[in-house]
Amino acid sequence: MTVAPTNADVSMDKGPAGAQDQAPRKINFDLKQSGIYIALALTIVIFTALTGGDLLAPQNLSNIIVQYSYILVLAIGMVLIIIAGHIDLSVGSVVAASGAFAAVMMVNWDLPWPIAILATLVFGALVGAWQGYWVAYFGIPAFIVTLAGMLLFRAVTYRILGNQGIGPFPDDIRTLANGFTPGFLKNVALGPLGGADAFSIIVGLLVVVGMVAVQWRSRAARIRYHQTVDPMWLFITKVAVPAVLVMFVVVQLARFRNLPWVLVLLAVLVVGYTLVTNRAVFGRQIYAVGGNLQAATLSGVKVKSVVFWLFVNMGVLSAVAGIIFAGRLNLAGPTAGNSFELDAIAAAFIGGAAVQGGVGKVVGAITGGLIMGVINNGAGLLGWQTETVMFVKGAVLLAAVAFDVWSKRRTAGAR
């Protein structure tokens, strides 16, 4: 089956073996792909300076992860929807409805929390299937379907809760939303930094080793197929900088209360969805549908099925976010999830997703979400007014989309 190329694909130089060694190597620096990470670094540096270093304090880093974890979960599903050329405006209401549904089962009906979580995920899947049917098989634009869903499922939330909150949640749910991994090993001394959990540091080192191994295998594969690769010094820099950042965050978290459980959940989701989008057939079909719908159809891609399951997936992730958010507040309220859809959409677009579809990455959406989280957190530390925060976030979103449009025009002009 032939599908349109994705942004994970690379063009192959099919010249004779050894040609790469004879030709001068060109530095492969893609501003569009790297710009989001530069933007995150600049955002962190600016707010670190403005807050006198408080932004990167161990407790505050932990707060950023815990407080914005549900937005990052939504951003994963949202970027897939946008890659396919659609949008979902209902996720905030689905988050509220899912949290209310879970609260009724766990608090009012006293069901065991594993059963309640499973039922809530099924509820989210059914919500996604409802919306996916109207978009994929009935042909109504996703904007209209999910706008209607935003109103419908907010009404469902009010109906379930009766315009009042339900709580408290079981301890296990609160631990998932607010808790931290236990210290399996003793603390290790880090000199002036004090003590840190040894197990968390070992986990961080294993993550770094995995990152280096993946990058090295990718470089070796490109060399094997006679593709252009970065000079060794640039390759080492690209690997070393993320590795140092990961270890810095892990050490800071280990100095506070170890790794948040929501960070573990996020790591599993990011790795899983990255593998799906880069390696699985379904992931390539998502890019094909968003990149060129007609070509994908002629190539045999079951477009309606792909779109349908994308909305089912979005419903399930919304249910996950709903459980996390309600567990964090220890209360399911009728106003939960307000504007969550806007933050998730902004995270996807700031992270490099294209308005026209066909372009985007899970890691990019997570990065975009972190930029929004750092802005919110830094503004809170500085005591900014709400209108100032909204102005900055809006300007960042506009700049990200403007950069995407400019880069596309620049590429088209170069041709």
Side-chain angles (χ1 to χ4, degrees):
M1 180 177 64
T2 304
V3 297
T6 74
N7 66 336
D9 294 326
V10 291
S11 60
M12 295 183 58
D13 178 11
K14 298 185 178 180
Q20 176 197 0
D21 297 331
Q22 298 174 4
R25 292 182 179 179
K26 182 174 63 175
I27 295 178
N28 182 24
F29 182 79
D30 189 342
L31 181 60
K32 179 175 173 56
Q33 294 295 331
S34 304
I36 179 63
Y37 307 111
I38 297 174
L40 175 60
L42 289 175
T43 304
I44 293 174
V45 168
I46 291 172
F47 279 100
T48 299
L50 292 176
T51 59
D54 290 343
L55 181 77
L56 298 181
Q59 182 175 355
N60 194 62
L61 280 179
S62 179
N63 289 340
I64 292 175
I65 294 171
V66 172
Q67 291 174 2
Y68 301 103
S69 57
Y70 39 88
I71 298 298
L72 299 180
V73 171
L74 293 175
I76 294 173
M78 187 65 70
V79 73
L80 300 183
I81 295 281
I82 292 174
I83 289 171
H86 297 283
I87 200 75
D88 192 341
L89 300 177
S90 69
V91 294
S93 297
V94 179
V95 165
S98 299
F101 186 75
V104 168
M105 287 187 293
M106 286 187 244
V107 179
N108 292 359
W109 297 351
D110 201 25
L111 288 178
W113 66 266
I115 296 177
I117 286 182
L118 181 61
T120 305
L121 296 180
V122 173
F123 172 80
L126 292 176
V127 169
W130 162 265
Q131 300 194 118
Y133 167 77
W134 293 108
V135 176
Y137 295 103
F138 209 80
I140 302 178
F143 181 89
I144 301 299
V145 171
T146 58
L147 181 60
M150 180 172 65
L151 302 174
L152 287 171
F153 297 113
R154 183 62 63 179
V156 168
T157 304
Y158 278 101
R159 176 64 65 179
I160 293 175
L161 297 177
N163 201 23
Q164 64 183 0
I166 296 180
F169 278 75
D171 291 339
D172 293 307
I173 300 299
R174 288 182 300 198
T175 299
L176 171 64
N178 291 316
F180 300 83
T181 57
F184 295 105
L185 302 175
K186 296 181 179 180
N187 283 8
V188 294
L190 297 178
L193 297 179
D197 179 58
F199 179 77
S200 299
I201 294 178
I202 291 174
V203 170
L205 290 173
L206 291 176
V207 170
V208 169
V209 170
M211 292 168 53
V212 173
V214 169
Q215 294 297 323
W216 183 261
R217 289 185 60 184
S218 176
R219 176 184 174 87
R222 293 177 67 90
I223 293 176
R224 187 164 57 250
Y225 288 102
H226 312 294
Q227 297 175 352
T228 302
V229 295
D230 294 324
M232 182 56 70
W233 68 267
L234 183 57
F235 170 78
I236 294 175
T237 301
K238 287 184 175 181
V239 172
V241 171
V244 171
L245 291 176
V246 168
M247 285 308 303
F248 174 79
V249 172
V250 169
V251 168
Q252 291 292 80
L253 294 175
R255 291 175 59 201
F256 180 53
R257 295 178 61 186
N258 303 337
L259 304 178
W261 278 116
V262 290
L263 177 61
V264 177
L265 174 62
L266 275 171
V268 172
L269 291 176
V270 169
V271 171
Y273 279 91
T274 299
L275 290 175
V276 168
T277 53
N278 290 346
R279 302 299 180 93
V281 173
F282 182 75
R284 295 183 178 273
Q285 290 176 341
I286 297 172
Y287 285 102
V289 170
N292 191 323
L293 180 60
Q294 184 177 5
T297 303
L298 294 176
S299 299
V301 176
K302 297 180 180 179
V303 174
K304 294 181 179 179
S305 177
V306 170
V307 173
F308 174 80
W309 286 109
L310 280 176
F311 278 93
V312 172
N313 174 73
M314 186 74 255
V316 172
L317 290 179
S318 298
V320 172
I323 294 171
I324 294 174
F325 184 70
R328 177 175 170 267
L329 296 182
N330 202 23
L331 180 75
T335 60
N338 280 339
S339 300
F340 281 15
E341 61 277 353
L342 303 182
D343 285 336
I345 293 170
F349 282 128
I350 293 173
V355 179
Q356 298 85 357
V359 177
K361 288 185 177 181
V362 171
V363 175
I366 293 296
T367 306
L370 288 175
I371 290 177
M372 302 292 282
V374 170
I375 292 174
N376 282 332
N377 183 269
L381 293 176
L382 294 170
W384 285 2
Q385 299 294 325
T386 302
E387 60 270 21
T388 304
V389 180
M390 295 175 66
F391 179 85
V392 172
K393 291 167 65 175
V396 170
L397 175 60
L398 181 61
V401 177
F403 177 77
D404 174 66
V405 174
W406 172 80
S407 62
K408 281 184 172 60
R409 291 177 179 176
R410 183 170 174 266
T411 303
R415 294 175 182 174

